[in-house]
């Protein structure tokens, strides 16, 4: 049987073509649906994964964005932060809300603007108790919480400690021979504390805030960064900080925490470095101090690494809260960036706000406010400014006169943002600082008196006064070098033109104090109070200076004034106790010390003074040692506590224990002459040890002799002759 060869049916081809087309379309549609719903599933899984993560918030003080090589490779090599950014998310355009440490951290931890939380200076106010903080949300959510801060300016007395189980803010005691000695911790010390705490909580979710202060002036990078960036100590300090972060990141990876942590890295503000005449920060609101880095490490690979949208530091808290699944408080004014980070569609206004009230608070001059939208940045000042940031990122060409309509439009938006921000501003709260803390903050350039508002002064544009700021910076340098005569003369030249400037007034008074002229220091401070009213910082310094002058009744009146201005500050009760003691009113003195501890049981300085009081006024060695042992246990790094405890042991004849605590005191406070002299006495006469006695004799000759009065020099020489 023959078979016939079939030829292809062209009609069949035509019938199959639509079917194939529909199949292809179906597959394409299916692929699109898979992609669509697969992305949604992935998004849900990532959000769920984040909720169980540890959270590390790392704030880098005074760090310009353009001094990380992931932003600008031309200045500093920062390989460890670069690696974090390369594997995570980098926001190219983040705006700080203020160029000061405490106000900026209040913004970071609350998600609110300074015009709401009212923290506008590093010392004039504390964080209001009604401001919800990120740490409180974590604590309420059952997380372990801890903070590790690198500067006295974030001391717990300013109110950021709420919600933290541990707030590591202890610093070495103030050195009375150096009014301007720095009170800070380097990155390696802060990160060691953080690592120790984290290592004991590796199996439970935690929230840790780590604050590193190294890029803040004065810049003293260690080797090899000092040599590598010779002539650029700011860059060397940034590189050192990055190196220490690299070691910390390695620990997180080795311990398995890197893949189980959400890490957010931001700076609180930048640094002027001479741009616009500003060497440091706080005064102006230009990009040098307002553009900051913002990096995020995720426990999974993000869809996009570099995001160009303009964001703000107000966005940090709501982003972290949403990532953890916590409710975002209604007062939060920032926007969560979680959708952007996860590659999802997100709407965030292309606008930002910034301000500096520093010129207003400390000098009486006009405050500065900035508003960003699109390519434009507008600065509200007596002489307003407008910059096209795309064409002029260095803000060198003020276009306000050429573009008056743009300036008016942005000024209107700025005022509308402030007026329409929602809840009314919180009430400002006063900080609780002891005299020692005030001097410590003065060392950072932060403790300065406030100026009553004056219509005439408020019309002064800060741009026209930058020379005064630089002169104050020079005064600080002179004081650090012990050149108090020059510092005082320069301060008094400032006061001749601007008598309201508290920084200059205090510098002048401190110069008189350094020269031993306490009465002229008193006159200087009283002249300042006549202008500035009841400023509790200046009153406290006046009371202390009157005590040094032996004018104890007047000192009591000054400390009573401090208490009237700020009755909730335990330091004021402590100072009152000292004043009563000087006047021989021992019962009142003891009551005041106890009142200070009643306000704040952790106020260690009052416990030290109570111990000294028992030792000398009550002659009760047992109660003295109880108080002083409690003080040392509470703050092992407080030199004055070890000094007082050593004295109590020496008076009881326990010279070995006394020597132990005087040695610790001298470790903490290398310029403490009394501790060094007491050790010389112990080893020369009480526990004879010629080698140790010679060591302390030679140290006194080397470190203290030029400053010692003749009587003390003779006493040291007499001991030295007995050793030869």
């Amino acid at each position: 049987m023959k078979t016939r060869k079939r030829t292809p049916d062209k009609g069949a081809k035509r019938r199959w073509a639509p079917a194939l087309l529909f199949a292809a379309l179906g597959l394409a549609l299916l692929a699109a649906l898979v992609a669509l719903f697969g992305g949604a599933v992935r998004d849900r899984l990532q959000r769920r994964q984040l909720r169980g993560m540890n959270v590390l918030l790392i704030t880098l003080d005074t760090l310009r964005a353009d001094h990380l090589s992931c932003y600008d490779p031309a200045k500093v090599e920062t390989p460890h932060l670069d690696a974090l950014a390369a594997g995570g998310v980098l926001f190219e355009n983040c705006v700080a809300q203020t160029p000061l440490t405490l106000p900026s951290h209040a913004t970071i931890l609350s998600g609110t603007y300074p015009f709401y939380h009212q923290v506008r200076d590093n010392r004039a106010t504390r964080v209001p108790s009604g401001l919800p903080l990120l740490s409180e949300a974590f604590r309420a959510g059952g997380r372990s919480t801890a903070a590790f801060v690198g500067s006295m300016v974030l001391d717990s007395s300013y109110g950021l400690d709420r919600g933290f189980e541990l707030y590591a803010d202890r610093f070495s005691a103030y050195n009375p021979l150096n009014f301007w000695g720095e009170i800070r911790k380097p990155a390696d010390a802060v990160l060691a504390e953080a690592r120790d705490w984290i290592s004991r909580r590796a199996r439970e979710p935690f929230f840790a805030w780590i604050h590193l202060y190294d890029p803040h002036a004065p810049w003293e990078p260690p080797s090899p960064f000092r040599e590598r960036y010779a002539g650029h100590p700011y860059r060397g300090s940034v590189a050192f900080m990055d190196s220490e972060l690299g070691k910390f990141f390695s620990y997180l990876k080795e311990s398995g925490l890197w893949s189980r942590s959400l890490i957010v890295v931001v700076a609180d503000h930048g640094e002027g470095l001479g741009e616009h005449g500003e060497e440091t920060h706080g005064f102006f609101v230009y990009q040098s101090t307002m553009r900051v880095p913002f990096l995020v490490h995720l426990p999974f690979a993000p869809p996009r690494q570099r995001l160009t949208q303009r964001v703000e530091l107000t966005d940090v808290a709501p982003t972290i809260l949403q990532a953890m699944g916590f409710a975002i408080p209604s007062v939060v004014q920032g926007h969560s960036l979680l959708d952007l980070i996860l590659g999802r569609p997100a709407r965030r206004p292309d606008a930002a706000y910034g301000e500096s009230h520093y010129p207003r608070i400390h000098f009486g001059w006009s405050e500065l406010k900035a508003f960003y939208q699109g390519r434009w940045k507008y600065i509200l000042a007596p002489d307003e400014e407008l910059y096209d940031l795309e064409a002029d990122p260095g803000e060198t060409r003020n276009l306000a006169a050429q573009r008056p309509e743009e300036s008016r439009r942005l000024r209107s938006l700025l005022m509308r943002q402030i007026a329409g921000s929602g809840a009314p501003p919180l009430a400002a709260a006063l900080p609780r600082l002891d005299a020692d803390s005030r001097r410590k903050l003065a060392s950072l350039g932060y403790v300065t008196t406030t100026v009553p508002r004056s219509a005439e002064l408020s019309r002064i544009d800060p741009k026209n006064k930058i020379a005064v700021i630089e002169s104050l910076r020079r005064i600080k340098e002179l004081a650090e070098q012990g050149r108090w005569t020059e510092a005082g003369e320069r301060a008094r030249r400032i006061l001749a033109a601007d008598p309201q400037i508290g920084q200059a007034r205090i510098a002048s008074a401190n110069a008189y104090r350094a020269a031993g002229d306490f009465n002229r220091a008193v006159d200087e401070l009283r002249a300042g109070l006549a202008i500035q009213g009841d400023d509790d910082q200046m009153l406290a310094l006046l009371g202390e200076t009157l005590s040094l002058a032996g004018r104890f009744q007047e000192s009591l009146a000054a400390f009573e004034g401090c208490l009237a201005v700020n009755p909730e500050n335990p330091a004021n009760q402590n100072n009152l106790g000292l004043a009563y003691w000087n006047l021989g009113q021992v019962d009142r003195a003891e009551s005041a010390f106890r009142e200070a501890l009643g306000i704040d049981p952790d106020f260690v300085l009052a416990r030290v003074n109570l111990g000294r009081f028992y030792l000398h006024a009550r002659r009760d060695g047992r109660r003295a040692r109880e108080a002083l042992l409690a003080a040392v246990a509470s703050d092992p790094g407080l030199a004055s506590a070890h000094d007082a405890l050593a004295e109590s042991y020496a008076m009881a004849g326990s010279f070995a224990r006394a020597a132990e605590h005087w040695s610790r005191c001298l470790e903490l406070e290398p310029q403490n002459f009394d501790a060094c002299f007491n050790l010389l006495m112990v080893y020369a006469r009480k526990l004879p040890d010629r080698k140790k006695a010679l060591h302390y004799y030679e140290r006194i000759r080397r470190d203290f002799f030029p400053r010692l009065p003749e009587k003390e020099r003779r006493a040291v020489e007499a001991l030295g002759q007995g050793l030869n």
Side-chain angles (χ1 to χ4, degrees), residues 31 42 47 50 73 110 136 198 216 247 252 254 290 318 321 323 326 350 366 373 439 447 623 694 712 714:
R42 183 173 59 250
R47 290 173 190 267
L50 282 172
S110 72
E136 293 177 300
I198 290 169
H216 193 287
K247 298 172 189 175
L252 294 177
E254 291 164 4
M290 301 297 277
L321 288 169
F326 296 155
D350 182 24
S366 174
Q373 189 182 65
R439 288 192 296 262
V447 171
R623 294 175 77 187
L694 278 172
E712 292 178 348
R714 287 200 299 269

mmCIF file of all heavy atoms in Angstrom, residues 31 42 47 50 73 110 136 198 216 247 252 254 290 318 321 323 326 350 366 373 439 447 623 694 712 714:
data_model
loop_
_atom_site.group_PDB
_atom_site.id
_atom_site.type_symbol
_atom_site.label_atom_id
_atom_site.label_comp_id
_atom_site.label_asym_id
_atom_site.label_seq_id
_atom_site.Cartn_x
_atom_site.Cartn_y
_atom_site.Cartn_z
ATOM 1 N N ALA A 31 5.124 35.746 34.332
ATOM 2 C CA ALA A 31 6.424 36.208 34.834
ATOM 3 C C ALA A 31 6.284 37.546 35.551
ATOM 4 O O ALA A 31 6.887 37.776 36.608
ATOM 5 C CB ALA A 31 7.418 36.333 33.675
ATOM 6 N N ARG A 42 9.019 39.119 49.055
ATOM 7 C CA ARG A 42 10.364 39.432 49.536
ATOM 8 C C ARG A 42 10.336 40.624 50.487
ATOM 9 O O ARG A 42 10.992 40.628 51.536
ATOM 10 C CB ARG A 42 11.288 39.724 48.352
ATOM 11 C CG ARG A 42 12.738 40.000 48.770
ATOM 12 C CD ARG A 42 13.673 40.110 47.586
ATOM 13 N NE ARG A 42 13.264 41.177 46.685
ATOM 14 C CZ ARG A 42 12.751 40.988 45.467
ATOM 15 N NH1 ARG A 42 12.581 39.752 45.006
ATOM 16 N NH2 ARG A 42 12.405 42.001 44.698
ATOM 17 N N ARG A 47 10.942 42.774 55.905
ATOM 18 C CA ARG A 47 10.409 43.563 57.026
ATOM 19 C C ARG A 47 10.282 42.706 58.279
ATOM 20 O O ARG A 47 10.598 43.150 59.388
ATOM 21 C CB ARG A 47 9.065 44.185 56.651
ATOM 22 C CG ARG A 47 9.176 45.292 55.616
ATOM 23 C CD ARG A 47 7.799 45.760 55.154
ATOM 24 N NE ARG A 47 7.904 46.645 54.005
ATOM 25 C CZ ARG A 47 7.970 47.983 54.082
ATOM 26 N NH1 ARG A 47 7.921 48.568 55.264
ATOM 27 N NH2 ARG A 47 8.068 48.714 52.999
ATOM 28 N N LEU A 50 13.730 42.142 59.749
ATOM 29 C CA LEU A 50 14.273 43.307 60.441
ATOM 30 C C LEU A 50 13.757 43.418 61.867
ATOM 31 O O LEU A 50 14.480 43.854 62.773
ATOM 32 C CB LEU A 50 13.929 44.590 59.671
ATOM 33 C CG LEU A 50 14.773 44.894 58.436
ATOM 34 C CD1 LEU A 50 14.199 46.074 57.676
ATOM 35 C CD2 LEU A 50 16.215 45.173 58.834
ATOM 36 N N PRO A 73 36.485 60.624 47.595
ATOM 37 C CA PRO A 73 37.736 59.874 47.813
ATOM 38 C C PRO A 73 38.981 60.742 47.878
ATOM 39 O O PRO A 73 40.074 60.228 48.102
ATOM 40 C CB PRO A 73 37.786 58.940 46.601
ATOM 41 C CG PRO A 73 37.024 59.660 45.536
ATOM 42 C CD PRO A 73 35.938 60.424 46.244
ATOM 43 N N SER A 110 14.667 61.585 68.614
ATOM 44 C CA SER A 110 13.223 61.829 68.744
ATOM 45 C C SER A 110 12.499 61.957 67.413
ATOM 46 O O SER A 110 11.276 61.805 67.357
ATOM 47 C CB SER A 110 12.977 63.109 69.555
ATOM 48 O OG SER A 110 13.323 64.263 68.805
ATOM 49 N N GLU A 136 13.301 54.823 74.570
ATOM 50 C CA GLU A 136 12.126 54.459 75.359
ATOM 51 C C GLU A 136 11.257 53.449 74.624
ATOM 52 O O GLU A 136 10.678 52.545 75.240
ATOM 53 C CB GLU A 136 11.330 55.712 75.696
ATOM 54 C CG GLU A 136 12.067 56.664 76.635
ATOM 55 C CD GLU A 136 11.288 57.938 76.904
ATOM 56 O OE1 GLU A 136 10.997 58.662 75.929
ATOM 57 O OE2 GLU A 136 10.973 58.210 78.072
ATOM 58 N N ILE A 198 27.866 44.499 74.771
ATOM 59 C CA ILE A 198 27.230 43.689 73.722
ATOM 60 C C ILE A 198 27.597 42.213 73.873
ATOM 61 O O ILE A 198 26.758 41.323 73.669
ATOM 62 C CB ILE A 198 27.633 44.215 72.328
ATOM 63 C CG1 ILE A 198 26.974 45.582 72.071
ATOM 64 C CG2 ILE A 198 27.239 43.230 71.230
ATOM 65 C CD1 ILE A 198 27.509 46.288 70.845
ATOM 66 N N HIS A 216 35.907 65.960 66.584
ATOM 67 C CA HIS A 216 35.671 67.256 67.213
ATOM 68 C C HIS A 216 36.995 67.882 67.642
ATOM 69 O O HIS A 216 37.871 67.212 68.181
ATOM 70 C CB HIS A 216 34.753 67.078 68.425
ATOM 71 C CG HIS A 216 34.189 68.373 68.953
ATOM 72 N ND1 HIS A 216 34.946 69.280 69.644
ATOM 73 C CD2 HIS A 216 32.940 68.889 68.879
ATOM 74 C CE1 HIS A 216 34.188 70.314 69.979
ATOM 75 N NE2 HIS A 216 32.963 70.096 69.523
ATOM 76 N N LYS A 247 37.778 47.696 63.562
ATOM 77 C CA LYS A 247 38.001 46.636 64.562
ATOM 78 C C LYS A 247 36.672 46.210 65.194
ATOM 79 O O LYS A 247 36.434 45.015 65.432
ATOM 80 C CB LYS A 247 38.959 47.127 65.636
ATOM 81 C CG LYS A 247 40.340 47.493 65.128
ATOM 82 C CD LYS A 247 41.165 48.162 66.226
ATOM 83 C CE LYS A 247 42.462 48.720 65.679
ATOM 84 N NZ LYS A 247 43.219 49.465 66.717
ATOM 85 N N LEU A 252 31.902 42.292 65.372
ATOM 86 C CA LEU A 252 30.504 41.966 65.082
ATOM 87 C C LEU A 252 30.408 40.811 64.087
ATOM 88 O O LEU A 252 29.553 39.924 64.227
ATOM 89 C CB LEU A 252 29.780 43.192 64.534
ATOM 90 C CG LEU A 252 29.601 44.384 65.482
ATOM 91 C CD1 LEU A 252 28.923 45.540 64.747
ATOM 92 C CD2 LEU A 252 28.781 44.004 66.715
ATOM 93 N N GLU A 254 32.782 38.443 63.492
ATOM 94 C CA GLU A 254 33.292 37.210 64.090
ATOM 95 C C GLU A 254 32.306 36.602 65.084
ATOM 96 O O GLU A 254 32.244 35.379 65.244
ATOM 97 C CB GLU A 254 34.621 37.497 64.797
ATOM 98 C CG GLU A 254 35.763 37.833 63.830
ATOM 99 C CD GLU A 254 36.932 38.488 64.530
ATOM 100 O OE1 GLU A 254 36.882 38.613 65.783
ATOM 101 O OE2 GLU A 254 37.884 38.892 63.836
ATOM 102 N N MET A 290 26.260 71.410 57.766
ATOM 103 C CA MET A 290 24.878 70.901 57.736
ATOM 104 C C MET A 290 24.684 69.669 56.854
ATOM 105 O O MET A 290 23.692 68.954 57.001
ATOM 106 C CB MET A 290 23.918 72.006 57.276
ATOM 107 C CG MET A 290 23.941 73.244 58.155
ATOM 108 S SD MET A 290 23.404 72.947 59.859
ATOM 109 C CE MET A 290 21.630 73.037 59.667
ATOM 110 N N PRO A 318 12.058 57.644 62.999
ATOM 111 C CA PRO A 318 10.913 56.925 62.428
ATOM 112 C C PRO A 318 11.311 55.750 61.537
ATOM 113 O O PRO A 318 10.597 54.745 61.462
ATOM 114 C CB PRO A 318 10.160 58.006 61.645
ATOM 115 C CG PRO A 318 11.127 59.106 61.444
ATOM 116 C CD PRO A 318 12.040 59.066 62.628
ATOM 117 N N LEU A 321 12.113 52.941 64.000
ATOM 118 C CA LEU A 321 10.875 52.499 64.652
ATOM 119 C C LEU A 321 10.041 51.628 63.711
ATOM 120 O O LEU A 321 9.530 50.577 64.107
ATOM 121 C CB LEU A 321 10.064 53.716 65.117
ATOM 122 C CG LEU A 321 10.622 54.477 66.315
ATOM 123 C CD1 LEU A 321 9.875 55.793 66.503
ATOM 124 C CD2 LEU A 321 10.547 53.637 67.586
ATOM 125 N N ALA A 323 11.117 49.970 61.108
ATOM 126 C CA ALA A 323 11.835 48.719 60.847
ATOM 127 C C ALA A 323 11.617 47.702 61.960
ATOM 128 O O ALA A 323 11.558 46.498 61.713
ATOM 129 C CB ALA A 323 13.329 49.004 60.677
ATOM 130 N N PHE A 326 7.615 49.063 65.661
ATOM 131 C CA PHE A 326 7.125 49.852 66.783
ATOM 132 C C PHE A 326 6.252 50.988 66.268
ATOM 133 O O PHE A 326 6.452 51.493 65.151
ATOM 134 C CB PHE A 326 8.287 50.442 67.592
ATOM 135 C CG PHE A 326 9.172 49.433 68.252
ATOM 136 C CD1 PHE A 326 10.492 49.734 68.564
ATOM 137 C CD2 PHE A 326 8.703 48.170 68.579
ATOM 138 C CE1 PHE A 326 11.317 48.813 69.186
ATOM 139 C CE2 PHE A 326 9.516 47.225 69.193
ATOM 140 C CZ PHE A 326 10.829 47.552 69.497
ATOM 141 N N ASP A 350 10.565 66.878 49.090
ATOM 142 C CA ASP A 350 11.912 67.297 48.701
ATOM 143 C C ASP A 350 12.218 68.630 49.381
ATOM 144 O O ASP A 350 12.398 69.661 48.729
ATOM 145 C CB ASP A 350 12.014 67.434 47.184
ATOM 146 C CG ASP A 350 13.428 67.819 46.747
ATOM 147 O OD1 ASP A 350 14.372 67.529 47.514
ATOM 148 O OD2 ASP A 350 13.568 68.427 45.672
ATOM 149 N N SER A 366 21.194 87.821 65.724
ATOM 150 C CA SER A 366 20.108 87.098 65.051
ATOM 151 C C SER A 366 20.403 85.607 64.958
ATOM 152 O O SER A 366 21.546 85.198 64.715
ATOM 153 C CB SER A 366 19.912 87.660 63.640
ATOM 154 O OG SER A 366 18.953 86.892 62.928
ATOM 155 N N GLN A 373 14.743 73.327 49.187
ATOM 156 C CA GLN A 373 13.766 72.718 48.289
ATOM 157 C C GLN A 373 14.372 72.637 46.895
ATOM 158 O O GLN A 373 14.844 73.647 46.360
ATOM 159 C CB GLN A 373 12.460 73.502 48.240
ATOM 160 C CG GLN A 373 11.372 72.750 47.476
ATOM 161 C CD GLN A 373 10.087 73.540 47.368
ATOM 162 O OE1 GLN A 373 10.055 74.591 46.730
ATOM 163 N NE2 GLN A 373 9.031 73.034 47.980
ATOM 164 N N ARG A 439 32.719 73.382 84.389
ATOM 165 C CA ARG A 439 34.085 73.640 83.945
ATOM 166 C C ARG A 439 34.502 72.644 82.870
ATOM 167 O O ARG A 439 35.200 72.990 81.921
ATOM 168 C CB ARG A 439 35.036 73.565 85.146
ATOM 169 C CG ARG A 439 34.899 74.740 86.102
ATOM 170 C CD ARG A 439 36.059 74.735 87.094
ATOM 171 N NE ARG A 439 36.039 73.561 87.925
ATOM 172 C CZ ARG A 439 35.539 73.521 89.163
ATOM 173 N NH1 ARG A 439 35.003 74.601 89.675
ATOM 174 N NH2 ARG A 439 35.571 72.407 89.866
ATOM 175 N N VAL A 447 30.271 75.647 77.568
ATOM 176 C CA VAL A 447 29.635 76.322 78.685
ATOM 177 C C VAL A 447 29.789 77.817 78.496
ATOM 178 O O VAL A 447 30.861 78.360 78.601
ATOM 179 C CB VAL A 447 30.252 75.892 80.017
ATOM 180 C CG1 VAL A 447 29.733 76.752 81.143
ATOM 181 C CG2 VAL A 447 29.899 74.454 80.284
ATOM 182 N N ARG A 623 31.833 56.798 109.214
ATOM 183 C CA ARG A 623 30.813 57.287 108.279
ATOM 184 C C ARG A 623 31.460 57.942 107.054
ATOM 185 O O ARG A 623 30.926 57.864 105.951
ATOM 186 C CB ARG A 623 29.877 58.272 108.980
ATOM 187 C CG ARG A 623 29.035 57.616 110.074
ATOM 188 C CD ARG A 623 28.226 58.643 110.828
ATOM 189 N NE ARG A 623 27.067 59.081 110.056
ATOM 190 C CZ ARG A 623 26.264 60.085 110.451
ATOM 191 N NH1 ARG A 623 26.526 60.739 111.566
ATOM 192 N NH2 ARG A 623 25.223 60.418 109.719
ATOM 193 N N LEU A 694 61.788 58.958 95.641
ATOM 194 C CA LEU A 694 62.533 59.717 94.632
ATOM 195 C C LEU A 694 61.732 59.895 93.353
ATOM 196 O O LEU A 694 61.804 60.943 92.696
ATOM 197 C CB LEU A 694 63.858 59.006 94.322
ATOM 198 C CG LEU A 694 65.003 59.262 95.298
ATOM 199 C CD1 LEU A 694 66.181 58.348 94.997
ATOM 200 C CD2 LEU A 694 65.437 60.735 95.225
ATOM 201 N N GLU A 712 55.537 75.907 99.420
ATOM 202 C CA GLU A 712 55.428 74.508 99.012
ATOM 203 C C GLU A 712 56.722 74.033 98.357
ATOM 204 O O GLU A 712 57.111 72.869 98.497
ATOM 205 C CB GLU A 712 54.223 74.326 98.091
ATOM 206 C CG GLU A 712 52.899 74.522 98.830
ATOM 207 C CD GLU A 712 51.693 74.404 97.923
ATOM 208 O OE1 GLU A 712 51.892 74.404 96.687
ATOM 209 O OE2 GLU A 712 50.574 74.328 98.444
ATOM 210 N N ARG A 714 59.716 74.933 99.261
ATOM 211 C CA ARG A 714 60.641 74.643 100.356
ATOM 212 C C ARG A 714 60.311 73.304 101.011
ATOM 213 O O ARG A 714 61.220 72.546 101.385
ATOM 214 C CB ARG A 714 60.596 75.775 101.387
ATOM 215 C CG ARG A 714 61.274 77.064 100.914
ATOM 216 C CD ARG A 714 61.633 77.954 102.092
ATOM 217 N NE ARG A 714 60.446 78.350 102.846
ATOM 218 C CZ ARG A 714 59.728 79.441 102.621
ATOM 219 N NH1 ARG A 714 60.092 80.273 101.630
ATOM 220 N NH2 ARG A 714 58.679 79.733 103.351
#
